[in-house]
Structure formats: C-alpha cells, structure tokens
Amino acid sequence: MSHAHVHSLPEPPAHVGLPSLVKALAGAGVIVGVAALGWAFSSGDAALAWSTYLIGAFFALGLGVFGLAWIAIVNLAGGTWAVTMRRVPEAMTAWLLPGGILALLVLLGAGSLYQWSHADVVAADEVLSHKAPFLNLQMFTIFGVVSIALWAIFAAVIVGASQRQDRDGGVRATRSNRAMSALFLVVFAITFSILSFYFLLSLDAHWFSTMFAVLVFTDVSQTGTAFVTLMAALLVSSGALKGFLNEHHLHSIGKMLFAWTGFWAYIYFCQFMLIWYANIPEETVYFIRRTDHGWAPYMLALPVLKFALPFLLMLPRDAKRSPARLIPVALLVLFAQFWELFLMVAPAIGHGEAAAVAPLPVVELGGTLGFVGLFTLVFGWALQRRDPVPLKDPGLAECLAYQS
C-alpha cells in the first residue's frame, strides 16, 4: 500500500442514513418477527417461543457489542484506514442498552430453556448441584446486568470522546480512546465469555468445553464484521460518502471479513476435533445431540454456509473491492450466524435424554429477522444523528490517501 499527500478535503454530506429499501426491509423484518413470536407464544409452545426469542436477542446483542469491539480493535491497531467508516460501528453501539435489556428478558423464560433453573432437577443431579453456585438465576441476573451496563458505559465514554473530537479537534480524544479501548477489550473478553456461558452453553448444562467462549467470540466477530462490511458496501455503492469511502477501504474491511471466516473454521474444527479425539461422554454428548434425530444435515450445512462458501467467494482480490460482490457474501455470513445459533439452541431445548427432533427453522428465522430488523432501525437512527465523517480526526488525511 502507498500514501499520497492530501491537499484538500472533499465536500462531506450533511447527513447519511439508511437507503429507503433497507429501512423498508428492516420494518418488514420487525413485522415478521412480531408475528413469529406472537404465534409461538400464543400456540402454547413455551420452549419454541423462548428459544426463538433467545436466538434473535443474542444475535442482535452480538452485533451491538461487536460494534464497540471493532472500534477498540481498530484504535489499538492504529487503523487510520478505517476513520471514514467509523460512524458505522459507533452507530451499532446504540443497540447495547435497549438490546441488552431485551436479551435479559430471556430470564422470564428460563424455566422453558434451562434445566438448571428447576430446583428439584438440580437437587437430583450431581453435576448440576456442583455447578449450582454459578448456574442459578440470581448469578445470571447479576452478571448479565453488570456486563451490559459496563458495555454501555464504555460505549458512552468512547463514542462521547469521538463526539468531542468532532467539536474540538486535536489528538487528545484519539489517545484517550486508545487507552479506553485496551481496558474495554479486557473487560469484554471476561464479560462476554461469562454471558456466552449463561445464554448458550448452559442450555446443555452437563456439557464441558474450554473453547466455547472463543467460538462464540469468533461468531460475533465474523458476523459483526459482516454487518460493518455490508453497511460500508452500501455507502460506497450509493455514493453517499463519495471521496471519503472507496474500494481501497472496502478491500481492507473485506480482508478482515475473510480473516474472521478462516479463523472461525479453525476454532470450530479445533473444538470438534479435540472432542472427537478424546471421546469423553461429557463432551461428545453435545455433538451426538446435533447429529441424531435428523440434525445431521443441519450440522453438515453449517461449515458450508459459514466457511466454505464465503471463503471461496471472497478469495479473488476483486471480490473484496466490489460492493456488488461483498454485499451478498455479508448477507450470507449473517444468515450463517442464525444457522449456527439455531444449532446451538434448538437441539438442547428437550430436557432429559432425548434431543429435540430437527424442524424447519421457520419460526426461529422469523423471530431473528424481527430482532435484526429492529437493530437495523436503531442503527439507522443513530447513524443519521451524527456528522457522517469525523473531519477533525488526525488520521483523516492518511485515511483519504489510503490505497490497498
């Protein structure tokens, strides 16, 4: 890559919002989600209703928190190439507080989701009794509230410093955000791991995996990067940030998505291989549940959707520079994240020895579309409230001259 001296700045737009088509699709998604959840709850199938809610709520919460993680990673790496797309992850953080509250409402359906939420079941189970000091609703509530509150506070501090820089300029905000980013990533690693245990891992409360938190982090990183890529590609294709965002920036965010895709495959295979090789019943039960009762085709489809297809589609250099080619891949990765969450949640819903029989995930997909649609509308609202380009960021000139 090379850099050239920038003599003058292009004329920035006053405001940037979501295209009308995206707003309409997001609104339609909310309607579909409300209908799917309404039908599930009214049908009397509490397990289906709450599992659908959990999949959608965790999907959207992951997008929100990764917006902040993406900012932190870029700040620590000194990624000035991403200055002009920073409003995208900043707007994603607007979901943290409302999305966190919606996610914690899963506690209302704990009895339908988590075997360990029943005192009589725990008392008769040696493993669950051993885990009871951690696996209980009080600890779930405390860790959930504290974690989401910390994320929201860090978002307010980091995005607030960016807003002050828009007003006052200078490098002080850049330096303070770099320090806050380092602190946040440590807090994020701990809190996100804990919440992934409570929301997802504890659905299979007898299962043990030392790699689960890393896998869920990789899921969120790949999916969050896909959303940033999708929005950046839409901005480039619409010309909304002409002169500020171009194919060179898309190439770099495309390479990030490509890298996370490969890393997901590495982590997913490592977890599977270690469990398969050790062949310990406490570990293999997770995959046995997800290959019996009709689940095997769903499991086999996951690495195709989340690794093989995105990897092959993004392999050419031009594919990472073209909005027309990046947008479908980003949408595919977002769908693949739903598919993986469905596989994490749905087979574990049947309490006892028998796994749930594999259904077509029509209701679950509808519920997730509702949450993603609502997230997108909140994101669009936050995006149009800020100046679209951080004109006083000291790295702007280098960003505009960036070539990849």
Short mmCIF file of all heavy atoms in Angstrom, two decimals, residues 153-209:
data_model
loop_
_atom_site.label_atom_id
_atom_site.label_comp_id
_atom_site.label_asym_id
_atom_site.label_seq_id
_atom_site.Cartn_x
_atom_site.Cartn_y
_atom_site.Cartn_z
N ILE A 153 -21.49 1.69 29.35
CA ILE A 153 -20.65 2.76 29.88
C ILE A 153 -19.43 2.98 28.99
O ILE A 153 -19.08 4.12 28.65
CB ILE A 153 -20.23 2.45 31.33
CG1 ILE A 153 -21.44 2.53 32.26
CG2 ILE A 153 -19.13 3.40 31.80
CD1 ILE A 153 -21.19 1.98 33.65
N PHE A 154 -18.76 1.89 28.62
CA PHE A 154 -17.60 2.03 27.73
C PHE A 154 -18.01 2.65 26.40
O PHE A 154 -17.29 3.49 25.83
CB PHE A 154 -16.94 0.67 27.49
CG PHE A 154 -15.91 0.30 28.52
CD1 PHE A 154 -16.19 -0.63 29.50
CD2 PHE A 154 -14.65 0.88 28.50
CE1 PHE A 154 -15.24 -0.98 30.46
CE2 PHE A 154 -13.69 0.55 29.44
CZ PHE A 154 -13.99 -0.38 30.43
N ALA A 155 -19.16 2.26 25.87
CA ALA A 155 -19.64 2.84 24.61
C ALA A 155 -19.87 4.33 24.76
O ALA A 155 -19.49 5.13 23.88
CB ALA A 155 -20.92 2.14 24.16
N ALA A 156 -20.49 4.74 25.88
CA ALA A 156 -20.74 6.16 26.10
C ALA A 156 -19.44 6.95 26.19
O ALA A 156 -19.34 8.06 25.64
CB ALA A 156 -21.57 6.34 27.38
N VAL A 157 -18.43 6.38 26.85
CA VAL A 157 -17.15 7.07 27.01
C VAL A 157 -16.42 7.17 25.68
O VAL A 157 -15.93 8.24 25.28
CB VAL A 157 -16.29 6.35 28.06
CG1 VAL A 157 -14.87 6.94 28.08
CG2 VAL A 157 -16.93 6.47 29.44
N ILE A 158 -16.32 6.06 24.96
CA ILE A 158 -15.54 6.04 23.72
C ILE A 158 -16.24 6.83 22.62
O ILE A 158 -15.60 7.65 21.93
CB ILE A 158 -15.28 4.59 23.30
CG1 ILE A 158 -14.32 3.91 24.28
CG2 ILE A 158 -14.71 4.52 21.88
CD1 ILE A 158 -14.08 2.42 24.04
N VAL A 159 -17.53 6.63 22.44
CA VAL A 159 -18.25 7.39 21.42
C VAL A 159 -18.35 8.85 21.83
O VAL A 159 -18.28 9.76 20.98
CB VAL A 159 -19.65 6.78 21.18
CG1 VAL A 159 -20.45 7.63 20.19
CG2 VAL A 159 -19.52 5.35 20.66
N GLY A 160 -18.48 9.12 23.13
CA GLY A 160 -18.52 10.50 23.60
C GLY A 160 -17.22 11.23 23.32
O GLY A 160 -17.23 12.42 22.94
N ALA A 161 -16.07 10.56 23.47
CA ALA A 161 -14.79 11.17 23.14
C ALA A 161 -14.71 11.48 21.65
O ALA A 161 -14.16 12.52 21.24
CB ALA A 161 -13.64 10.26 23.57
N SER A 162 -15.25 10.59 20.83
CA SER A 162 -15.28 10.83 19.38
C SER A 162 -16.13 12.06 19.06
O SER A 162 -15.78 12.88 18.19
CB SER A 162 -15.84 9.60 18.67
OG SER A 162 -16.00 9.83 17.29
N GLN A 163 -17.24 12.23 19.78
CA GLN A 163 -18.09 13.40 19.56
C GLN A 163 -17.38 14.69 19.98
O GLN A 163 -17.50 15.72 19.31
CB GLN A 163 -19.39 13.25 20.34
CG GLN A 163 -20.29 12.14 19.80
CD GLN A 163 -21.50 11.91 20.68
OE1 GLN A 163 -21.47 12.17 21.88
NE2 GLN A 163 -22.58 11.40 20.10
N ARG A 164 -16.63 14.64 21.07
CA ARG A 164 -15.88 15.84 21.50
C ARG A 164 -14.81 16.18 20.48
O ARG A 164 -14.54 17.37 20.23
CB ARG A 164 -15.25 15.59 22.87
CG ARG A 164 -16.25 15.57 24.02
CD ARG A 164 -15.54 15.69 25.35
NE ARG A 164 -14.57 14.62 25.55
CZ ARG A 164 -14.87 13.43 26.05
NH1 ARG A 164 -16.13 13.15 26.36
NH2 ARG A 164 -13.94 12.53 26.22
N GLN A 165 -14.21 15.15 19.89
CA GLN A 165 -13.20 15.42 18.86
C GLN A 165 -13.84 16.08 17.64
O GLN A 165 -13.22 16.94 17.01
CB GLN A 165 -12.51 14.12 18.45
CG GLN A 165 -11.32 14.33 17.52
CD GLN A 165 -10.61 13.02 17.22
OE1 GLN A 165 -11.18 12.12 16.63
NE2 GLN A 165 -9.36 12.92 17.65
N ASP A 166 -15.06 15.68 17.29
CA ASP A 166 -15.76 16.33 16.19
C ASP A 166 -15.94 17.82 16.46
O ASP A 166 -15.93 18.64 15.53
CB ASP A 166 -17.14 15.69 15.98
CG ASP A 166 -17.04 14.27 15.45
OD1 ASP A 166 -15.99 13.91 14.92
OD2 ASP A 166 -18.04 13.52 15.58
N ARG A 167 -16.10 18.17 17.73
CA ARG A 167 -16.34 19.56 18.09
C ARG A 167 -15.04 20.33 18.30
O ARG A 167 -14.89 21.46 17.80
CB ARG A 167 -17.17 19.61 19.37
CG ARG A 167 -17.55 21.00 19.82
CD ARG A 167 -18.37 20.97 21.10
NE ARG A 167 -17.61 20.45 22.24
CZ ARG A 167 -17.86 19.28 22.82
NH1 ARG A 167 -18.83 18.50 22.36
NH2 ARG A 167 -17.14 18.88 23.85
N ASP A 168 -14.07 19.71 18.99
CA ASP A 168 -12.88 20.45 19.41
C ASP A 168 -11.63 20.11 18.61
O ASP A 168 -10.66 20.89 18.63
CB ASP A 168 -12.60 20.19 20.90
CG ASP A 168 -13.78 20.54 21.78
OD1 ASP A 168 -14.53 21.46 21.41
OD2 ASP A 168 -13.97 19.87 22.82
N GLY A 169 -11.59 18.95 17.96
CA GLY A 169 -10.40 18.52 17.24
C GLY A 169 -9.30 18.06 18.18
O GLY A 169 -9.53 17.80 19.38
N GLY A 170 -8.10 17.95 17.66
CA GLY A 170 -6.95 17.57 18.47
C GLY A 170 -6.77 16.06 18.57
O GLY A 170 -7.57 15.27 18.07
N VAL A 171 -5.67 15.66 19.24
CA VAL A 171 -5.32 14.24 19.36
C VAL A 171 -5.67 13.66 20.73
O VAL A 171 -5.50 12.47 20.97
CB VAL A 171 -3.81 14.02 19.08
CG1 VAL A 171 -3.45 14.46 17.68
CG2 VAL A 171 -2.96 14.77 20.12
N ARG A 172 -6.16 14.51 21.62
CA ARG A 172 -6.43 14.04 22.98
C ARG A 172 -7.46 12.92 22.99
O ARG A 172 -7.29 11.91 23.69
CB ARG A 172 -6.91 15.20 23.84
CG ARG A 172 -7.14 14.82 25.29
CD ARG A 172 -7.52 16.04 26.13
NE ARG A 172 -7.77 15.66 27.51
CZ ARG A 172 -8.12 16.53 28.46
NH1 ARG A 172 -8.26 17.82 28.16
NH2 ARG A 172 -8.33 16.11 29.69
N ALA A 173 -8.52 13.08 22.22
CA ALA A 173 -9.57 12.06 22.18
C ALA A 173 -9.04 10.76 21.60
O ALA A 173 -9.40 9.66 22.06
CB ALA A 173 -10.76 12.55 21.37
N THR A 174 -8.18 10.86 20.60
CA THR A 174 -7.60 9.66 19.99
C THR A 174 -6.78 8.89 21.01
O THR A 174 -6.88 7.66 21.11
CB THR A 174 -6.73 10.05 18.79
OG1 THR A 174 -7.53 10.73 17.81
CG2 THR A 174 -6.10 8.82 18.15
N ARG A 175 -5.98 9.62 21.80
CA ARG A 175 -5.13 8.96 22.79
C ARG A 175 -5.96 8.37 23.93
O ARG A 175 -5.70 7.25 24.39
CB ARG A 175 -4.12 9.96 23.34
CG ARG A 175 -3.06 10.37 22.32
CD ARG A 175 -2.20 11.52 22.82
NE ARG A 175 -1.16 11.87 21.86
CZ ARG A 175 -0.41 12.97 21.94
NH1 ARG A 175 -0.59 13.82 22.95
NH2 ARG A 175 0.50 13.22 21.03
N SER A 176 -6.96 9.11 24.39
CA SER A 176 -7.78 8.59 25.49
C SER A 176 -8.59 7.38 25.04
O SER A 176 -8.75 6.41 25.81
CB SER A 176 -8.71 9.68 26.02
OG SER A 176 -9.67 10.04 25.04
N ASN A 177 -9.08 7.40 23.80
CA ASN A 177 -9.83 6.25 23.30
C ASN A 177 -8.95 5.03 23.11
O ASN A 177 -9.43 3.90 23.24
CB ASN A 177 -10.52 6.61 21.98
CG ASN A 177 -11.92 7.17 22.19
OD1 ASN A 177 -12.42 7.16 23.31
ND2 ASN A 177 -12.54 7.64 21.14
N ARG A 178 -7.69 5.25 22.81
CA ARG A 178 -6.79 4.11 22.70
C ARG A 178 -6.62 3.43 24.05
O ARG A 178 -6.64 2.20 24.15
CB ARG A 178 -5.44 4.57 22.14
CG ARG A 178 -4.49 3.44 21.76
CD ARG A 178 -3.30 3.99 21.00
NE ARG A 178 -3.71 4.62 19.76
CZ ARG A 178 -2.96 5.47 19.07
NH1 ARG A 178 -1.76 5.81 19.51
NH2 ARG A 178 -3.41 5.98 17.94
N ALA A 179 -6.47 4.22 25.11
CA ALA A 179 -6.34 3.65 26.45
C ALA A 179 -7.64 2.97 26.88
O ALA A 179 -7.62 1.86 27.43
CB ALA A 179 -5.95 4.75 27.45
N MET A 180 -8.77 3.62 26.62
CA MET A 180 -10.06 3.04 26.99
C MET A 180 -10.33 1.77 26.18
O MET A 180 -10.95 0.82 26.69
CB MET A 180 -11.18 4.04 26.75
CG MET A 180 -11.17 5.22 27.71
SD MET A 180 -11.31 4.71 29.45
CE MET A 180 -12.92 3.95 29.45
N SER A 181 -9.87 1.73 24.95
CA SER A 181 -10.07 0.54 24.11
C SER A 181 -9.33 -0.66 24.67
O SER A 181 -9.86 -1.78 24.68
CB SER A 181 -9.60 0.82 22.68
OG SER A 181 -10.39 1.82 22.07
N ALA A 182 -8.11 -0.43 25.16
CA ALA A 182 -7.34 -1.52 25.75
C ALA A 182 -8.05 -2.06 26.99
O ALA A 182 -8.16 -3.29 27.18
CB ALA A 182 -5.94 -1.03 26.11
N LEU A 183 -8.56 -1.16 27.82
CA LEU A 183 -9.27 -1.59 29.02
C LEU A 183 -10.56 -2.31 28.66
O LEU A 183 -10.90 -3.34 29.25
CB LEU A 183 -9.56 -0.37 29.90
CG LEU A 183 -10.29 -0.63 31.22
CD1 LEU A 183 -9.49 -1.59 32.09
CD2 LEU A 183 -10.53 0.69 31.96
N PHE A 184 -11.28 -1.77 27.68
CA PHE A 184 -12.54 -2.40 27.29
C PHE A 184 -12.35 -3.82 26.80
O PHE A 184 -13.13 -4.72 27.14
CB PHE A 184 -13.25 -1.59 26.21
CG PHE A 184 -14.38 -2.35 25.56
CD1 PHE A 184 -15.56 -2.59 26.25
CD2 PHE A 184 -14.24 -2.87 24.27
CE1 PHE A 184 -16.59 -3.32 25.66
CE2 PHE A 184 -15.26 -3.60 23.68
CZ PHE A 184 -16.44 -3.83 24.38
N LEU A 185 -11.33 -4.06 25.98
CA LEU A 185 -11.15 -5.40 25.41
C LEU A 185 -10.88 -6.44 26.50
O LEU A 185 -11.30 -7.59 26.37
CB LEU A 185 -10.02 -5.40 24.38
CG LEU A 185 -10.36 -4.70 23.05
CD1 LEU A 185 -9.16 -4.72 22.11
CD2 LEU A 185 -11.56 -5.36 22.38
N VAL A 186 -10.21 -6.03 27.57
CA VAL A 186 -10.01 -6.95 28.70
C VAL A 186 -11.34 -7.25 29.37
O VAL A 186 -11.69 -8.41 29.64
CB VAL A 186 -9.00 -6.36 29.71
CG1 VAL A 186 -8.90 -7.26 30.94
CG2 VAL A 186 -7.64 -6.19 29.06
N VAL A 187 -12.11 -6.18 29.64
CA VAL A 187 -13.42 -6.35 30.27
C VAL A 187 -14.34 -7.15 29.35
O VAL A 187 -15.09 -8.04 29.80
CB VAL A 187 -14.04 -4.98 30.59
CG1 VAL A 187 -15.48 -5.11 31.07
CG2 VAL A 187 -13.20 -4.26 31.64
N PHE A 188 -14.30 -6.84 28.08
CA PHE A 188 -15.15 -7.53 27.10
C PHE A 188 -14.84 -9.02 27.06
O PHE A 188 -15.76 -9.86 27.01
CB PHE A 188 -14.94 -6.91 25.72
CG PHE A 188 -15.59 -7.67 24.59
CD1 PHE A 188 -16.97 -7.73 24.48
CD2 PHE A 188 -14.82 -8.32 23.64
CE1 PHE A 188 -17.58 -8.42 23.44
CE2 PHE A 188 -15.40 -9.01 22.61
CZ PHE A 188 -16.79 -9.06 22.50
N ALA A 189 -13.57 -9.38 27.06
CA ALA A 189 -13.19 -10.80 27.00
C ALA A 189 -13.78 -11.57 28.18
O ALA A 189 -14.27 -12.70 28.01
CB ALA A 189 -11.67 -10.93 26.98
N ILE A 190 -13.75 -10.97 29.35
CA ILE A 190 -14.26 -11.66 30.54
C ILE A 190 -15.78 -11.69 30.55
O ILE A 190 -16.40 -12.75 30.71
CB ILE A 190 -13.73 -10.96 31.81
CG1 ILE A 190 -12.20 -11.05 31.87
CG2 ILE A 190 -14.36 -11.58 33.07
CD1 ILE A 190 -11.57 -10.21 32.96
N THR A 191 -16.41 -10.53 30.37
CA THR A 191 -17.87 -10.45 30.47
C THR A 191 -18.56 -11.20 29.34
O THR A 191 -19.58 -11.87 29.57
CB THR A 191 -18.33 -8.99 30.50
OG1 THR A 191 -17.80 -8.30 29.35
CG2 THR A 191 -17.84 -8.30 31.77
N PHE A 192 -18.03 -11.10 28.14
CA PHE A 192 -18.67 -11.79 27.03
C PHE A 192 -18.56 -13.30 27.19
O PHE A 192 -19.50 -14.04 26.86
CB PHE A 192 -18.05 -11.36 25.70
CG PHE A 192 -18.76 -11.93 24.50
CD1 PHE A 192 -19.97 -11.41 24.09
CD2 PHE A 192 -18.24 -13.01 23.81
CE1 PHE A 192 -20.65 -11.94 22.99
CE2 PHE A 192 -18.90 -13.56 22.73
CZ PHE A 192 -20.11 -13.01 22.32
N SER A 193 -17.44 -13.76 27.70
CA SER A 193 -17.29 -15.20 27.96
C SER A 193 -18.33 -15.67 28.96
O SER A 193 -18.99 -16.71 28.76
CB SER A 193 -15.89 -15.50 28.48
OG SER A 193 -14.90 -15.18 27.52
N ILE A 194 -18.52 -14.89 30.03
CA ILE A 194 -19.49 -15.28 31.06
C ILE A 194 -20.90 -15.31 30.49
O ILE A 194 -21.67 -16.26 30.72
CB ILE A 194 -19.40 -14.31 32.25
CG1 ILE A 194 -18.05 -14.50 32.97
CG2 ILE A 194 -20.54 -14.55 33.23
CD1 ILE A 194 -17.78 -13.47 34.05
N LEU A 195 -21.27 -14.28 29.73
CA LEU A 195 -22.62 -14.24 29.17
C LEU A 195 -22.84 -15.34 28.14
O LEU A 195 -23.95 -15.87 28.02
CB LEU A 195 -22.91 -12.87 28.56
CG LEU A 195 -23.07 -11.72 29.54
CD1 LEU A 195 -23.72 -10.53 28.86
CD2 LEU A 195 -23.89 -12.12 30.76
N SER A 196 -21.80 -15.71 27.39
CA SER A 196 -21.95 -16.82 26.45
C SER A 196 -22.19 -18.13 27.20
O SER A 196 -22.93 -19.00 26.73
CB SER A 196 -20.72 -16.94 25.55
OG SER A 196 -19.58 -17.39 26.25
N PHE A 197 -21.58 -18.27 28.39
CA PHE A 197 -21.84 -19.45 29.22
C PHE A 197 -23.31 -19.49 29.64
O PHE A 197 -23.98 -20.52 29.54
CB PHE A 197 -20.95 -19.46 30.46
CG PHE A 197 -19.48 -19.59 30.20
CD1 PHE A 197 -18.55 -19.11 31.09
CD2 PHE A 197 -19.03 -20.21 29.05
CE1 PHE A 197 -17.19 -19.23 30.85
CE2 PHE A 197 -17.66 -20.34 28.79
CZ PHE A 197 -16.75 -19.84 29.70
N TYR A 198 -23.80 -18.37 30.14
CA TYR A 198 -25.16 -18.34 30.66
C TYR A 198 -26.20 -18.47 29.54
O TYR A 198 -27.10 -19.32 29.62
CB TYR A 198 -25.41 -17.04 31.43
CG TYR A 198 -24.94 -17.09 32.86
CD1 TYR A 198 -23.95 -16.24 33.32
CD2 TYR A 198 -25.48 -18.00 33.76
CE1 TYR A 198 -23.50 -16.27 34.63
CE2 TYR A 198 -25.05 -18.05 35.08
CZ TYR A 198 -24.05 -17.19 35.51
OH TYR A 198 -23.62 -17.25 36.81
N PHE A 199 -26.10 -17.65 28.52
CA PHE A 199 -27.13 -17.64 27.48
C PHE A 199 -27.14 -18.93 26.65
O PHE A 199 -28.21 -19.44 26.32
CB PHE A 199 -26.93 -16.45 26.55
CG PHE A 199 -27.47 -15.15 27.06
CD1 PHE A 199 -26.62 -14.12 27.43
CD2 PHE A 199 -28.84 -14.95 27.18
CE1 PHE A 199 -27.11 -12.91 27.90
CE2 PHE A 199 -29.35 -13.75 27.66
CZ PHE A 199 -28.48 -12.73 28.02
N LEU A 200 -25.96 -19.44 26.31
CA LEU A 200 -25.88 -20.53 25.33
C LEU A 200 -25.33 -21.84 25.88
O LEU A 200 -25.96 -22.89 25.75
CB LEU A 200 -25.03 -20.07 24.13
CG LEU A 200 -25.56 -18.86 23.36
CD1 LEU A 200 -24.57 -18.44 22.27
CD2 LEU A 200 -26.92 -19.14 22.76
N LEU A 201 -24.16 -21.80 26.50
CA LEU A 201 -23.53 -23.04 26.95
C LEU A 201 -24.39 -23.76 27.98
O LEU A 201 -24.49 -25.00 27.97
CB LEU A 201 -22.15 -22.75 27.53
CG LEU A 201 -21.35 -23.95 28.06
CD1 LEU A 201 -21.09 -24.96 26.95
CD2 LEU A 201 -20.03 -23.49 28.67
N SER A 202 -25.05 -23.00 28.87
CA SER A 202 -25.81 -23.65 29.94
C SER A 202 -27.10 -24.29 29.44
O SER A 202 -27.79 -24.95 30.22
CB SER A 202 -26.12 -22.64 31.05
OG SER A 202 -27.06 -21.67 30.63
N LEU A 203 -27.45 -24.10 28.17
CA LEU A 203 -28.56 -24.87 27.60
C LEU A 203 -28.26 -26.36 27.66
O LEU A 203 -29.16 -27.18 27.82
CB LEU A 203 -28.81 -24.44 26.16
CG LEU A 203 -29.37 -23.03 25.94
CD1 LEU A 203 -29.21 -22.63 24.48
CD2 LEU A 203 -30.83 -22.95 26.35
N ASP A 204 -26.99 -26.71 27.47
CA ASP A 204 -26.50 -28.09 27.63
C ASP A 204 -25.68 -28.11 28.92
O ASP A 204 -24.45 -28.13 28.89
CB ASP A 204 -25.65 -28.50 26.44
CG ASP A 204 -26.45 -28.62 25.17
OD1 ASP A 204 -27.05 -29.68 24.95
OD2 ASP A 204 -26.48 -27.66 24.38
N ALA A 205 -26.37 -28.09 30.05
CA ALA A 205 -25.69 -27.83 31.33
C ALA A 205 -24.74 -28.94 31.75
O ALA A 205 -23.88 -28.72 32.60
CB ALA A 205 -26.74 -27.61 32.42
N HIS A 206 -24.86 -30.13 31.16
CA HIS A 206 -23.95 -31.22 31.51
C HIS A 206 -22.71 -31.25 30.61
O HIS A 206 -21.81 -32.07 30.83
CB HIS A 206 -24.67 -32.57 31.40
CG HIS A 206 -25.73 -32.76 32.42
ND1 HIS A 206 -27.02 -32.32 32.25
CD2 HIS A 206 -25.69 -33.34 33.66
CE1 HIS A 206 -27.73 -32.62 33.33
NE2 HIS A 206 -26.96 -33.24 34.19
N TRP A 207 -22.67 -30.38 29.63
CA TRP A 207 -21.59 -30.40 28.65
C TRP A 207 -20.42 -29.56 29.13
O TRP A 207 -20.59 -28.55 29.81
CB TRP A 207 -22.11 -29.87 27.31
CG TRP A 207 -21.10 -29.88 26.21
CD1 TRP A 207 -20.31 -30.93 25.83
CD2 TRP A 207 -20.78 -28.80 25.33
NE1 TRP A 207 -19.51 -30.57 24.76
CE2 TRP A 207 -19.79 -29.27 24.44
CE3 TRP A 207 -21.24 -27.49 25.20
CZ2 TRP A 207 -19.25 -28.46 23.44
CZ3 TRP A 207 -20.71 -26.70 24.21
CH2 TRP A 207 -19.72 -27.18 23.34
N PHE A 208 -19.21 -29.98 28.74
CA PHE A 208 -17.99 -29.25 29.09
C PHE A 208 -17.24 -28.89 27.81
O PHE A 208 -17.04 -29.74 26.94
CB PHE A 208 -17.08 -30.10 29.99
CG PHE A 208 -17.66 -30.43 31.33
CD1 PHE A 208 -18.54 -31.49 31.48
CD2 PHE A 208 -17.34 -29.67 32.44
CE1 PHE A 208 -19.08 -31.80 32.72
CE2 PHE A 208 -17.88 -29.97 33.69
CZ PHE A 208 -18.74 -31.04 33.82
N SER A 209 -16.81 -27.64 27.68
CA SER A 209 -15.97 -27.23 26.56
C SER A 209 -15.16 -26.01 26.99
O SER A 209 -15.71 -25.02 27.46
CB SER A 209 -16.80 -26.87 25.33
OG SER A 209 -15.97 -26.32 24.31
#
